[in-house]
Amino acid sequence: MANIPPPPAGFTLDTPTPEPTRYVPIARGNIPAPPDGFTLDQSQQAPSQSAAQNGDLTANNAVRSIATGVPIAGGLLNRIDAATNATLAPLFDPVLPDSFQKLPEENWSDRYQHALNIQTGRDQAFHQEHPYVDTGLKVAGGVAGTIPAMMAAPSAFGIGAGSLATRSAVSAITGAGIGGTDAAIRSDLDPRQTAVGAGIGLAAGAAGPAIGKAVGAGVRYFTQPNDAVSGLSSAARNYVTQELSDPAKVALQQAELSRLGPDATLADVSPEWLGVARGAASRPGTRDAIVESLLARQSGANARLGTDLDASLGPAVIPSQVQEGIAQGQNIVGQQYAPVMAEARAVNMEPLAQQLEASATNLRGPEQQAVQRVRNFLNIPGTDVLDPNPQALLSTRQAIDGLMSTEQNPQVIRQLTMARQQVDDALAQAAPGIKGVDAQYSELARQSDALQQGRPILNNQATALRPQEVQDMLQQGALPQGEQIGPSAVPTRMQQGVRAEIDRAAGTNAIDTTALRNIVRGEGDWNRQKLGMLFGQENADRALNAIDRETVFGDTANRVTRGSDTAMAGRFGDFLDATGKPTEIPGDITAMGVAARSGKKLLNALMESRAEEKAAQFANELGRLSVATGAPRDQLIQALLSRAQQQPAISDPAMQAVINSVLQTGARQMSR
């Protein structure tokens, strides 16, 4: 018989035993019971056994604690681990070193129970040495395990939209299901433990939405800035932050508002805000505030536009009054001819008569007739004798001017022009001072023509002047003519003509600002360039921007007060309808708390009234902001931009998920 070695330290020999089997722990630290006939001295454990039940704060123990804290799945981990070890032990135990603990049991169920005891013992050892740490880690594991499910299906956990009562009921049902299932797995389907787990889940789930709402309100109170957005109701604030707070869009809106001026509204520069204005204007309770604000702004369109045009282009003139002033000036200048002609000498008409006769000899038709008429003007009336009086020569020039003013034939005009030049040269020799008077009179005549030329400069028809043509007219018009000293006032008269035409267009199209814009701005960039040549480009741009602004204002007023529905108006209406939709009393709640049918109807009526109040407040708040001007508008824009630059806070659904998870997981851990 083989020699029997003495028992290991810590063991006492009760009865003779067969040759002992050496037990080696497997990777999970499974330690079987000692062989028959041996007792374990707890003060002198084998090193492998002590390590397996080590409750120190190690990374391995911490990970195990977190993993087992996950609801449902965490309760299966030790069982899955034990089942795996029990299944693989016959295969791997023979090849494992003696330093590993093995599972020597003959049947699978004994090996499984042996391995499971080791797993649970290790967890218990860690909890005994570090109870608070273990509880905290298990709660963390439970939170980490449930939050993804809550965010994937928030409605199943009572998270998101809906009344507090409905969300609490749903959360309670889900909490009871998870708590009961988790307790059943951890207790091997013990009915009492399962019922306790379901009850705890029910209570914690029911309390979760209310606590989450309270905590969320507190977090928002201390973290959100006190600005134009924070003062809104929750429904209005949610709509603004979800639909209207894109930072890139808000920055563009701010730039456009600055261009349009202090009277511009968000509805003028944003399709989304225009939809808000239209949606709010569709409700009788808020329509007046929206429409009256826009109509009041429209009533000041003429005054605003007139002020801006005067500031950029100068005050408008009345062309007929300017023409009257020019005519009066010509009459005054005309009176200077008498003293000049009084000092004129007699004129020898023979050379001039011969020149005209020679020209007529080579001409035919209307051209010849025109020259012959001029030749006859030189004679004493009723005779063939040339008139030497210089006054007769002046009268001849005036008669030629009269013929040219009504003549349409360009060839006749050419001959008359040459004849006039010949007469003018002879007159200048007879009365040297007449050219100075002529220069003054001619300047006034050019100004009269320039006033008329300015009116069609912004013409958008086929006869529209090109920018280069206008530039040439301005340059030529500024040059002095004859004996005139200094620049001509022709460009100024052209400016007045254009300014008068803009004033006429504004006066006849004040209601239809789009028509005014089409007249002044026109198609393409020609009118902008021509206005820049006449008034300076900066002034021209300011004038056009003023017209554009009033066009935008008018378009907004028309679309809000009379326009048809659009996608954005419909989207705002959807939010409005959702806000104004009452929450129906669930049947299960009425069965518990409102047994009578009349009681349910009363509660539904009260909730409907409350929902309508919320919808009215929602429409009123956002509708007023959509048409706000000045400081309220700027404060809202600044609030949206500031919030976009801040680190985003945790969202309400995420916050509710965290709170629900912590509450339910913590309650389950405290009950174990």
Side-chain angles (χ1 to χ4, degrees):
M1 184 173 180
N3 293 331
I4 300 176
F11 291 91
T12 58
L13 182 62
D14 294 331
T15 59
T17 60
E19 201 172 315
T21 303
R22 307 179 79 183
Y23 293 89
V24 179
I26 63 174
R28 289 286 296 169
N30 299 330
I31 303 176
D36 294 338
F38 290 94
T39 60
L40 180 63
D41 185 348
Q42 297 295 328
S43 64
Q44 298 183 8
Q45 298 180 39
S48 59
Q49 174 75 357
S50 177
Q53 302 298 331
N54 186 0
D56 292 344
L57 183 58
T58 63
N60 188 33
N61 283 338
V63 170
R64 287 176 58 86
S65 179
I66 293 173
T68 54
V70 177
I72 301 177
L76 296 172
L77 291 179
N78 284 347
R79 288 165 171 76
I80 294 173
D81 215 358
T84 302
N85 290 340
T87 302
L88 298 178
L91 298 176
F92 290 96
D93 278 4
V95 298
L96 289 175
D98 291 344
S99 58
F100 282 80
Q101 185 180 13
K102 301 180 181 181
L103 299 176
E105 290 78 9
E106 294 295 333
N107 59 69
W108 185 90
S109 60
D110 290 342
R111 292 196 301 272
Y112 168 77
Q113 190 60 49
H114 187 173
L116 182 61
N117 291 338
I118 301 263
Q119 301 292 328
T120 56
R122 189 168 189 175
D123 293 339
Q124 292 171 358
F126 180 64
H127 183 77
Q128 290 174 357
E129 294 191 25
H130 304 282
Y132 299 110
V133 174
D134 182 52
T135 300
L137 291 175
K138 283 184 169 59
V139 171
V143 171
T146 54
I147 284 181
M150 290 182 174
M151 297 307 295
S155 59
F157 293 86
I159 297 171
S163 68
L164 181 61
T166 301
R167 290 190 291 113
S168 296
V170 172
S171 179
I173 294 172
T174 305
I178 295 176
T181 303
D182 183 67
I185 291 174
R186 295 179 189 273
S187 65
D188 292 329
L189 304 179
D190 180 85
R192 181 177 177 280
Q193 292 297 324
T194 300
V196 170
I200 292 174
L202 178 73
I211 296 176
K213 183 177 181 179
V215 173
V219 171
R220 285 191 298 272
Y221 179 81
F222 289 105
T223 60
Q224 288 188 354
N226 184 17
D227 54 23
V229 176
S230 61
L232 300 175
S233 64
S234 59
R237 185 171 58 250
N238 290 339
Y239 185 83
V240 170
T241 55
Q242 292 173 19
E243 300 290 327
L244 307 172
S245 60
D246 182 276
K249 289 184 177 180
V250 174
L252 292 176
Q253 292 164 11
Q254 184 183 45
E256 190 66 8
L257 289 171
S258 298
R259 186 182 72 84
L260 293 177
D263 292 313
T265 68
L266 285 164
D268 296 319
V269 300
S270 165
E272 293 83 3
W273 279 105
L274 178 61
V276 170
R278 297 176 67 181
S282 67
R283 293 180 62 85
T286 56
R287 176 177 174 79
D288 289 346
I290 306 303
V291 172
E292 288 177 3
S293 175
L294 294 175
L295 293 181
R297 184 178 68 173
Q298 279 301 96
S299 66
N302 283 350
R304 285 193 306 271
L305 187 57
T307 299
D308 290 344
L309 291 178
D310 287 346
S312 56
L313 305 181
V317 300
I318 300 176
S320 60
Q321 294 180 354
V322 176
Q323 289 286 16
E324 183 179 352
I326 292 174
Q328 292 176 356
Q330 287 178 319
N331 289 334
I332 294 174
V333 172
Q335 297 174 7
Q336 299 178 26
Y337 281 105
V340 171
M341 295 307 296
E343 298 179 358
R345 0 179 239 278
V347 180
N348 181 8
M349 297 291 190
E350 188 65 31
L352 178 58
Q354 290 177 357
Q355 292 176 6
L356 292 173
E357 289 172 357
S359 297
T361 301
N362 298 322
L363 297 173
R364 298 293 183 272
E367 299 173 66
Q368 184 185 58
Q369 295 172 5
V371 174
Q372 288 174 345
R373 290 184 66 182
V374 174
R375 166 62 186 81
N376 292 334
F377 291 158
L378 301 179
N379 293 334
I380 296 173
T383 70
D384 292 333
V385 180
L386 294 173
D387 191 342
N389 190 340
Q391 185 63 46
L393 197 59
L394 177 61
S395 298
T396 298
R397 190 179 72 175
Q398 293 172 345
I400 295 173
D401 290 340
L403 293 175
M404 293 176 63
S405 65
T406 59
E407 184 58 56
Q408 300 295 324
N409 190 326
Q411 297 301 324
V412 174
I413 293 175
R414 186 173 67 86
Q415 293 300 326
L416 289 175
T417 300
M418 291 189 296
R420 187 189 188 283
Q421 184 62 50
Q422 294 171 354
V423 172
D424 191 64
D425 292 342
L427 186 59
Q429 294 178 3
I434 197 172
K435 299 309 293 181
V437 180
D438 284 346
Q440 297 179 49
Y441 196 93
S442 176
E443 168 62 17
L444 292 172
R446 293 176 65 205
Q447 292 181 25
S448 178
D449 293 340
L451 185 66
Q452 298 301 320
Q453 291 173 346
R455 298 183 67 178
I457 281 180
L458 299 181
N459 179 14
N460 296 308
Q461 306 303 319
T463 58
L465 293 172
R466 289 169 171 76
Q468 186 58 51
E469 293 174 315
V470 174
Q471 184 68 33
D472 293 341
M473 292 170 61
L474 290 171
Q475 291 177 351
Q476 293 297 324
L479 298 177
Q481 301 293 318
E483 295 185 4
Q484 179 186 353
I485 299 175
S488 171
V490 166
T492 300
R493 297 303 184 191
M494 292 178 66
Q495 289 177 351
Q496 290 178 333
V498 172
R499 179 67 181 90
E501 184 63 16
I502 293 175
D503 188 60
R504 183 198 65 78
T508 57
N509 296 277
I511 298 178
D512 188 358
T513 51
T514 301
L516 171 63
R517 183 182 184 277
N518 292 338
I519 292 172
V520 179
R521 182 179 283 278
E523 298 292 337
D525 200 42
W526 277 12
N527 280 3
R528 177 180 174 276
Q529 294 182 41
K530 289 185 283 189
L531 285 173
M533 295 172 185
L534 288 161
F535 301 99
Q537 198 60 59
E538 182 178 353
N539 289 331
D541 289 342
R542 288 169 56 194
L544 292 175
N545 287 342
I547 295 174
D548 289 344
R549 178 197 66 211
E550 296 305 326
T551 302
V552 171
F553 290 177
D555 182 61
T556 299
N558 290 335
R559 296 181 68 181
V560 171
T561 58
R562 297 191 296 272
S564 59
D565 290 339
T566 63
M568 286 313 303
R571 184 165 179 79
F572 179 75
D574 292 341
F575 271 82
L576 199 57
D577 292 341
T579 304
K581 184 177 181 180
T583 302
E584 181 73 18
I585 299 297
D588 57 339
I589 295 179
T590 58
M592 292 186 295
V594 190
R597 185 179 182 85
S598 59
K600 180 181 178 182
K601 289 183 178 180
L602 175 61
L603 287 180
N604 282 334
L606 292 174
M607 296 183 73
E608 182 175 358
S609 174
R610 176 56 181 159
E612 178 59 28
E613 292 177 3
K614 289 173 61 179
Q617 181 183 13
F618 176 63
N620 182 62
E621 286 180 316
L622 290 185
R624 290 180 181 276
L625 285 178
S626 69
V627 295
T629 60
R633 177 203 72 186
D634 295 337
Q635 290 169 1
L636 176 61
I637 288 290
Q638 189 57 49
L640 294 176
L641 290 175
S642 298
R643 287 175 176 239
Q645 296 172 356
Q646 295 174 351
Q647 187 71 20
I650 185 171
S651 64
D652 281 350
M655 183 179 298
Q656 291 180 24
V658 171
I659 293 171
N660 278 9
S661 179
V662 170
L663 188 65
Q664 295 186 35
T665 304
R668 286 194 297 269
Q669 292 301 323
M670 295 299 294
S671 66
R672 292 172 187 167

